[in-house]
Amino acid sequence: TSFLFFFFPFLGTGSNILSALQDLFWLSKSKVEKQLQIISVLQWVLTFLIMGVACTLILMYILCTDCWVIAALYLAWLVFDWNTPKKGGRRSQWVRNWAIWRYFRDYFPIRLVKTHNLLTTRNYIFGYHPHGIMGLGAFCNFSTEATGVSQKFPGIRPYLATLAGNFRMPILRDYLMSGGICPVNRDSIDYILSKNGSGNAIIIVVGGAAESLNCTPGKNSVTLKNRKGFVKLALRHGADLVPVYSFGENEVYKQVIFEEGSWGRWVQKKFQKHIGFAPCIFHGRGLFSSNTWGLLPYPKPITTVVGEPITIPKIDNPSQKEVDFYHSIYVDSLIKLFDKYKSKFGLPETEILEVN
């Protein structure tokens, strides 16, 4: 299993992997496919949860061994390359097209729905909702080519924005950049929207860590009322705003929700304030059985709908009134998008999107 886990991304097309494993283990195609899907999702969950810390500890250990030169060379490279994430990163089409991401997609499955064309002469800020526990739909749709984002939006370069702290972790930073992931900070966003030409789309999970604390199956709520920084950035750069709603993002994990005022919520908010993320107590299914608890998400469909772009003027120093005006337009557009597609993806007509 460890052999497969290490070499899986590099094995080529999905059909080659299937035929090779069928010959090796005499398993049916459906069983092999399911195992590959589980492995593909497991590697991402482990990446999300422990890769940064694990790579840091391994690097420190190597520095204390006879192979310290390898670690020293990487650290020298890290210093030299430190600002690359702030300048659009270093995406790799090879990594984005790995076969592993297609199995990742099919595990749930994840689907990307286009509703309008995007002009390559404009730049965009996509507001992604809801956060969920790990933003699985955001990653699969915009940091890989598994759902065909480049074919659906030709000429548009998507950049998924995530915590800047991830790019201080050795190895993890390079892995993230290869998928077109960038830090969600002003320096990085300013560079992409002003010095990288047109046809750029930055995907910001607007609700962030605060929203992740409230995600639970059956609940459709977003943290948006007081999240206006992304609107101000759009106005400063004249980047069009695009509402995006991911139906099913909250269904793949179950979470213990702490009430406001409880000690658990107090701890979560302290982490969120000082570290940038909020520790969630959650579970999915087990590795070998769907009837046990584990870190694997439940295989529930995730459908990400990209809405109609909102044309935004370029205003170098937008007033609060202007920010509020375009923010209200954005909120209305998101609610309309949710209402238009909710019944198509399994929600009742009576379901209301809760905006907090």
Side-chain angles (χ1 to χ4, degrees), residues 30 32 61 91 102 115 125 140 169 195 199 209 219 252 254 258 262 279 284 308 328 344 352:
S30 61
V32 172
Y61 171 76
R91 75 174 56 218
R102 295 192 289 279
T115 62
I125 293 180
C140 184
M169 301 284 191
K195 298 179 181 178
K219 187 172 184 180
V252 296
K254 295 178 181 179
F258 293 102
S262 66
E308 182 177 3
S328 66
K344 294 181 181 179
I352 296 174

Side-chain angles (χ1 to χ4, degrees), residues 156-266:
I156 301 298
R157 292 181 298 276
Y159 293 87
L160 177 60
T162 188
L163 289 176
N166 289 323
F167 296 89
R168 301 187 187 102
M169 301 284 191
I171 311 300
L172 175 64
R173 66 188 291 278
D174 301 290
Y175 189 33
L176 295 179
M177 283 194 291
S178 67
I181 301 177
C182 68
V184 62
N185 58 31
R186 182 168 172 175
D187 288 343
S188 177
I189 294 171
D190 283 347
Y191 183 92
I192 292 169
L193 295 180
S194 64
K195 298 179 181 178
N196 203 40
S198 60
N200 302 292
I202 297 180
I203 297 88
I204 299 176
V205 186
V206 178
E211 191 172 85
S212 70
L213 297 179
N214 295 313
C215 68
T216 188
K219 187 172 184 180
N220 288 284
S221 66
V222 296
T223 302
L224 183 57
K225 278 185 180 177
N226 297 315
R227 298 293 175 108
K228 300 180 180 180
F230 73 106
V231 178
K232 190 172 185 178
L233 279 170
L235 286 165
R236 288 181 61 244
H237 294 284
D240 293 347
L241 288 170
V242 182
V244 179
Y245 197 84
S246 209
F247 294 90
E249 185 72 63
N250 283 348
E251 307 300 315
V252 296
Y253 279 111
K254 295 178 181 179
Q255 180 182 188
V256 177
I257 304 292
F258 293 102
E259 296 294 328
E260 290 292 337
S262 66
W263 68 269
R265 183 53 65 101
W266 180 85

Side-chain angles (χ1 to χ4, degrees), residues 35-272:
Q35 293 305 311
L36 291 175
Q37 290 170 9
I38 289 173
I39 292 171
S40 68
V41 175
L42 177 62
Q43 70 85 28
W44 172 246
V45 170
L46 294 177
T47 295
F48 183 90
L49 294 176
I50 66 171
M51 183 177 177
V53 173
C55 288
T56 302
L57 293 174
I58 290 170
L59 198 67
M60 292 171 62
Y61 171 76
I62 293 174
L63 278 171
C64 301
T65 69
D66 293 338
C67 298
W68 65 269
V69 174
I70 297 173
L73 288 172
Y74 178 80
L75 289 173
W77 159 253
L78 194 62
V79 172
F80 175 79
D81 195 55
W82 191 252
N83 289 323
T84 298
K86 298 178 183 178
K87 297 179 179 179
R90 187 170 46 247
R91 75 174 56 218
S92 165
Q93 286 303 116
W94 175 63
V95 173
R96 287 175 61 88
N97 281 286
W98 275 351
I100 192 173
W101 307 131
R102 295 192 289 279
Y103 288 106
F104 183 99
R105 172 199 65 197
D106 293 340
Y107 173 86
F108 297 92
I110 295 174
R111 182 177 164 217
L112 180 65
V113 175
K114 169 187 175 180
T115 62
H116 291 79
N117 292 325
L118 299 181
L119 300 174
T120 58
T121 54
R122 300 286 291 172
N123 283 324
Y124 301 90
I125 293 180
F126 287 18
Y128 184 92
H129 314 268
H131 184 286
I133 295 291
M134 297 186 186
L136 295 164
F139 170 76
C140 184
N141 284 308
F142 301 112
S143 293
T144 80
E145 294 296 331
T147 56
V149 64
S150 293
Q151 286 72 45
K152 288 183 170 70
F153 301 103
I156 301 298
R157 292 181 298 276
Y159 293 87
L160 177 60
T162 188
L163 289 176
N166 289 323
F167 296 89
R168 301 187 187 102
M169 301 284 191
I171 311 300
L172 175 64
R173 66 188 291 278
D174 301 290
Y175 189 33
L176 295 179
M177 283 194 291
S178 67
I181 301 177
C182 68
V184 62
N185 58 31
R186 182 168 172 175
D187 288 343
S188 177
I189 294 171
D190 283 347
Y191 183 92
I192 292 169
L193 295 180
S194 64
K195 298 179 181 178
N196 203 40
S198 60
N200 302 292
I202 297 180
I203 297 88
I204 299 176
V205 186
V206 178
E211 191 172 85
S212 70
L213 297 179
N214 295 313
C215 68
T216 188
K219 187 172 184 180
N220 288 284
S221 66
V222 296
T223 302
L224 183 57
K225 278 185 180 177
N226 297 315
R227 298 293 175 108
K228 300 180 180 180
F230 73 106
V231 178
K232 190 172 185 178
L233 279 170
L235 286 165
R236 288 181 61 244
H237 294 284
D240 293 347
L241 288 170
V242 182
V244 179
Y245 197 84
S246 209
F247 294 90
E249 185 72 63
N250 283 348
E251 307 300 315
V252 296
Y253 279 111
K254 295 178 181 179
Q255 180 182 188
V256 177
I257 304 292
F258 293 102
E259 296 294 328
E260 290 292 337
S262 66
W263 68 269
R265 183 53 65 101
W266 180 85
V267 170
Q268 289 176 322
K269 286 188 172 181
K270 286 296 181 182
F271 265 85
Q272 179 189 335

